[in-house]
Amino acid sequence: MTILQNCSLQKATFFLTGFQGLEDLHGWISIPFCSIYLTVILGNLTILHVIRTDATLHEPMYYFLAMLALTDLGLCLSTLPTVLGIFWFDAREIGIPACFTQLFFIHTLSLVESSVLLSMSIDRYVAICNPLHYSTILTPARIVKMGLSSVIRSSLLILPLPFLLKRFQYCRSHVLAHAYCLHLEVMKLACSSIMVNHIYGLFVVACTVGVDSLLIFLSYALILRTVLSIASRQERLRALNTCVSHICAVLLFYIPMIGLSLVHRFGEHLPRIVHLLMSYVYLLVPPLMNPIVYSIKTKQIRLRIIKKFEFLKSL
């Protein structure tokens, strides 16, 4: 009877992994992770608060920045409970429904971020290449539609993944390689063929991240062509300076993603900790750095944040 109960429990749960071999140091390791999560939450909430309360920032560029901050905040909160749960309470067990739910939100929000970065590149293209029609092209209603379409597209494409995983029997080890659930890791534990999952996963990446990155590259090629046609060197620099923050955000998102993909496919000989660190870099560095980059490189945001802190200091 005990054996049957243990088998039933194993079929209903997965087991997450922290830093293997360093379990005694999990308390200390949690300190930088707590600092990162706290910085991500405070940084993105600050960006959202500044944009919401300052009427001068109610423009398309800042609406898209607010979408990016919301996405980063959601991505952070989707991994926080299990990551800190392992470090603080050694809570490694996660039910399959909870695992699939976390998986859905992590992958959906990653695709939403890619879509938002594409929307921001369109915003910069219109602002530089067609400035006279900027306000008529990027109307509030159109911006809302772009945001909703990003969420709907990402959700519909990721929604089949939990159902594709649910049909498997997991007769192998139920131990996952990370402190959170990812589609690639979960499907490797299945007993039967995972070819359908592989093909569908590649299809999702190709028609979202692949298409988005191509269109972002195309938009900046057109922006560069327009900027080079401007006679004044000062005007050229001013136009390019408005794109610096977005270019940094694009690089912060795509470079870790490409690095993680290369490590997964060609780095099997690398130590496991390299895979682990790359996954944390992919999920935590963009939400951590985006508010910092926009606070430093976007003058309007920087000045509003300084004013907020000066007001709080006076109180």
Side-chain angles (χ1 to χ4, degrees):
M1 181 62 106
T2 303
I3 294 172
L4 288 175
Q5 286 176 345
N6 289 338
C7 291
S8 176
L9 176 64
Q10 184 166 354
K11 288 181 181 179
T13 58
F14 288 115
F15 296 92
L16 304 171
T17 305
F19 286 87
Q20 282 186 333
L22 301 174
E23 285 81 4
D24 293 338
L25 299 176
H26 273 182
W28 293 103
I29 295 172
S30 71
I31 295 175
F33 276 90
C34 287
S35 302
I36 290 171
Y37 277 119
L38 188 61
T39 304
V40 169
I41 292 169
L42 290 177
N44 286 287
L45 285 178
T46 300
I47 295 290
L48 290 169
H49 175 70
V50 168
I51 293 173
R52 186 182 70 84
T53 57
D54 196 321
T56 61
L57 299 181
H58 292 177
E59 298 178 3
M61 174 183 174
Y62 302 108
Y63 290 144
F64 289 125
L65 177 55
M67 292 180 196
L68 184 65
L70 275 173
T71 306
D72 285 338
L73 197 58
L75 198 55
C76 164
L77 294 176
S78 65
T79 60
L80 183 149
T82 52
V83 172
L84 295 187
I86 288 176
F87 290 148
W88 287 349
F89 311 111
D90 195 31
R92 298 178 60 239
E93 190 174 316
I94 183 172
I96 287 180
C99 180
F100 289 174
T101 301
Q102 184 185 50
L103 175 151
F104 171 79
F105 279 108
I106 289 175
H107 289 296
T108 297
L109 289 168
S110 295
L111 297 188
V112 169
E113 180 144 353
S114 177
S115 298
V116 171
L117 291 173
L118 173 59
S119 299
M120 295 174 84
S121 72
I122 294 172
D123 168 77
R124 291 299 83 205
Y125 166 76
V126 176
I128 293 173
C129 300
N130 201 356
L132 296 179
H133 297 92
Y134 181 72
S135 58
T136 57
I137 293 174
L138 291 175
T139 60
R142 189 162 289 161
I143 292 170
V144 170
K145 289 178 182 178
M146 291 171 73
L148 287 176
S149 65
S150 298
V151 173
I152 292 170
R153 181 189 75 159
S154 303
S155 300
L156 290 178
L157 285 171
I158 296 299
L159 188 60
L161 292 184
F163 295 99
L164 288 173
L165 292 171
K166 190 177 180 180
R167 65 193 175 93
F168 291 134
Q169 290 292 325
Y170 297 97
C171 55
R172 299 175 185 174
S173 168
H174 278 220
V175 178
L176 298 172
H178 300 94
Y180 40 80
C181 296
L182 297 174
H183 173 251
L184 186 63
E185 296 296 333
V186 174
M187 73 177 184
K188 286 180 179 178
L189 303 180
C191 313
S192 50
S193 172
I194 56 174
M195 183 60 67
V196 173
N197 290 62
H198 266 303
I199 293 173
Y200 186 73
L202 289 173
F203 166 76
V204 169
V205 171
C207 67
T208 53
V209 175
V211 172
D212 292 348
S213 58
L214 183 63
L215 292 176
I216 290 171
F217 176 79
L218 179 61
S219 68
Y220 272 100
L222 296 173
I223 287 171
L224 188 61
R225 187 183 69 175
T226 301
V227 168
L228 292 176
S229 67
I230 299 174
S232 169
R233 181 175 179 273
Q234 187 176 0
E235 290 296 323
R236 288 201 298 269
L237 291 176
R238 186 180 301 173
L240 288 174
N241 191 52
T242 64
C243 301
V244 170
S245 300
H246 178 253
I247 292 172
C248 291
V250 170
L251 294 177
L252 285 169
F253 178 75
Y254 283 105
I255 289 177
M257 176 183 283
I258 293 169
L260 183 61
S261 299
L262 291 175
V263 165
H264 269 302
R265 283 164 176 76
F266 307 109
E268 292 182 1
H269 62 285
L270 294 174
R272 186 183 169 280
I273 194 167
V274 174
H275 293 254
L276 201 60
L277 289 175
M278 281 301 301
S279 68
Y280 283 121
V281 166
Y282 166 60
L283 287 175
L284 294 180
V285 167
L288 173 68
M289 294 304 300
N290 284 337
I292 297 173
V293 168
Y294 276 95
S295 299
I296 294 172
K297 298 302 296 180
T298 306
K299 184 179 178 180
Q300 293 87 339
I301 294 287
R302 184 174 68 251
L303 292 177
R304 300 311 185 279
I305 292 175
I306 291 172
K307 285 183 178 179
K308 292 287 183 183
F309 278 109
E310 287 177 349
F311 174 72
L312 291 174
K313 188 178 179 180
S314 67
L315 291 177

